[in-house]
Amino acid sequence: MVVPHHPAGARLARRRLAEELSDVVPPPLLADLVAVLAELVGNAVRHADPLPGGVVRVAWRLRAALGGQQVQLRVTDGGAAAGPTMRVADTDAADGRGLHIVSGLADRWGVERDGLGQSVWAEFDPTEITRSDLAVAG
């Protein structure tokens, strides 16, 4: 799907992802997917150029795997002078934690660049207990 290169784009992407995957993945995993997608789209809007047409491309892919669905999220934008990097945020900073959230919830994440821009992706492997379950239990 494509969303506007605007803060509202993250809301549209989250809503669509939740609607399409609510019957496919367990609720704790869906919560993690929605949180990570919001961070990735938000980062694209704040730090990168739009794709032609003033948009950001958002995609997800599910693959059957032992124990459940493996999910990959991908957000493609027009790129920026500097690629995404994890920053050190002061405890009272209003931002700077997005990729820490992505890294904490996803099993893997990375960046791919091509002549049109960049894609930031995050992958989630199926597990019996998701990270959200552990956070609530801990």
Side-chain angles (χ1 to χ4, degrees), residues 72-128:
Q72 182 186 73
L73 304 176
R74 180 175 293 267
V75 174
T76 304
D77 55 48
T85 58
M86 292 178 72
R87 301 185 317 190
V88 176
D90 292 332
T91 55
D92 59 346
D95 60 6
R97 295 177 186 82
L99 289 178
H100 291 281
I101 292 169
V102 171
S103 179
L105 295 176
D107 291 293
R108 289 169 298 289
W109 72 275
V111 181
E112 296 172 1
R113 293 178 155 251
D114 62 23
L116 301 175
Q118 68 184 9
S119 293
V120 182
W121 54 267
E123 291 182 341
F124 297 78
D125 292 334
T127 58
E128 293 295 320

Side-chain angles (χ1 to χ4, degrees), residues 14-23 30:
R14 286 191 323 256
R15 185 174 297 148
R16 177 93 175 267
L17 176 77
E19 288 171 0
E20 289 194 12
L21 299 186
S22 65
D23 293 333
L30 184 60

